């Protein structure tokens, strides 16, 4: 992998996008590597939570790599968006392991779209977030028009997209775009702290919860029905037996993850 770094510790994997001289902009190769990295981590039984961040002190990701699409045709533009959704943005949203974005600086365009594809976000107090695509004559194409409105509400999303303005970390927190804001030095440890709480819980139940929460945002799917189906399915898992037995025996559960 040339553009990303992956480290693993205590059942937590940290994926770092590593193109600091280009503010970690998402070129085609980086999107492909992220896809492969997430796929491998999803299959790795030792990994229970994934954190994604950017290298350097300036940016999480400053967007899709503008130099790669400046001369694209209508057809190429549509293909770029569709492939990005399939390989990365929808892929991350629907991963059955929790993915947390630790937003450590600029998260613009595709960078904010990547953070919004994750299951939730933390941010450093120097973070700045926005969807500046209309300054380039395009619209957000990696899910931004949908996920920003879902997270912050339609009016705020419309304003952010139309003005192409950036919001600072405090505003992002007040909008519910990020869950926590801490200093840049603390960001990774703080996020790992949240991840370590998740690691203790049933990974099977968590994967079913992710699917049920996401179901609310899929057209034609009744989220309550998915919840009922997944709730029932939990009763057939070893994790459920262990969780309930441990509670009744007044001890901490040790989940087999099955
Ligand atoms: N695509 C490609 N390259 C990018 C990039 C992007 N989205 N964002 C930053 N870079 C590159 C710059 O071209 C520059 O490369 P160079 O040193 O080879 O010239 C390098 O990263 C550093 O960026 P620079 O603009 O010099 O940093 P800055 O501190 O002056 O400004 C930003 C920071 C984030 C405000 C500015 O880089 C920016 O506006 N980036 C584009 C954001 C955007 O429109 N994203 C949406 C894309 S759809």
């Amino acid at each position: 992998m040339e553009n990303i770094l992956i480290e693993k510790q205590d059942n937590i994997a940290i994926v770092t996008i590593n193109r600091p001289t280009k503010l970690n902009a998402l070129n085609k190769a980086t999107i492909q590597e992220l896809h492969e990295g997430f796929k491998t981590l999803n299959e790795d039984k030792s990994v229970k939570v994934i954190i994604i961040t950017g290298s350097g002190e300036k940016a999480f990701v400053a967007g899709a790599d503008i130099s790669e699409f400046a001369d694209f045709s209508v057809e190429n533009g549509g293909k770029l968006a569709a492939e990005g959704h399939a390989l990365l943005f929808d892929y991350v949203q629907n991963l059955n392991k929790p993915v947390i974005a630790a937003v450590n600086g600029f998260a613009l365009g595709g960078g904010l779209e990547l953070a919004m594809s994750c299951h939730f976000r933390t941010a450093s107090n120097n973070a700045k977030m926005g969807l500046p695509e209309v300054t380039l004559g395009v619209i957000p194409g990696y899910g931004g028009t949908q996920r920003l409105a879902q997270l912050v509400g339609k009016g705020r999303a419309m304003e952010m997209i139309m003005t192409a303005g950036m919001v600072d970390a405090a505003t992002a927190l007040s909008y519910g775009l990020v869950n926590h804001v801490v200093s840049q030095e603390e960001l990774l440890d703080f996020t790992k702290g949240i991840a370590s709480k998740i690691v203790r819980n049933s990974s099977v139940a968590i994967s079913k919860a992710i699917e049920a929460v996401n179901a609310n945002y899929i057209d034609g799917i009744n989220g309550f029905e998915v919840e009922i189906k997944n709730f029932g399915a939990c009763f057939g898992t070893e994790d459920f037996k262990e969780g309930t037995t441990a509670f009744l025996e007044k001890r901490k559960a040790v989940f087999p993850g099955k």
Side-chain angles (χ1 to χ4, degrees), residues 96-118:
N96 53 28
K97 287 182 187 176
V99 186
I100 311 170
V103 179
N104 59 312
F106 287 115
L108 302 175
L112 180 55
E113 289 171 304
L114 178 57
M116 292 193 297
S117 299
C118 298

Side-chain angles (χ1 to χ4, degrees), residues 5-39:
L5 305 169
I6 296 179
E7 45 179 312
K8 293 187 280 180
Q9 203 188 3
D10 302 329
N11 303 116
I12 299 165
I14 299 177
V15 177
T16 305
I17 301 171
N18 191 30
R19 296 184 78 213
T21 59
K22 296 289 174 194
L23 302 187
N24 304 319
L26 295 175
N27 60 358
K28 199 172 176 192
T30 306
I31 289 179
Q32 186 62 41
E33 285 179 25
L34 283 168
H35 175 75
E36 281 157 26
F38 277 112
K39 187 165 189 284

Side-chain angles (χ1 to χ4, degrees), residues 162-196:
M162 289 175 189
T163 62
M166 294 184 206
V167 297
D168 61 16
T171 307
L173 184 64
S174 76
Y175 280 8
L177 186 51
V178 300
N179 291 6
H180 306 274
V181 175
V182 295
S183 71
Q184 190 164 49
E185 301 75 59
E186 290 170 301
L187 180 65
L188 219 46
D189 280 345
F190 178 83
T191 310
K192 280 190 213 165
I194 299 176
S196 67

Side-chain angles (χ1 to χ4, degrees), residues 25 31 55 63 81 92 94 113 118 130 151 174 183 207 219 229:
I31 289 179
S55 76
V92 166
N94 295 309
E113 289 171 304
C118 298
L151 284 166
S174 76
S183 71
S207 73
D219 263 353
K229 177 173 79 67

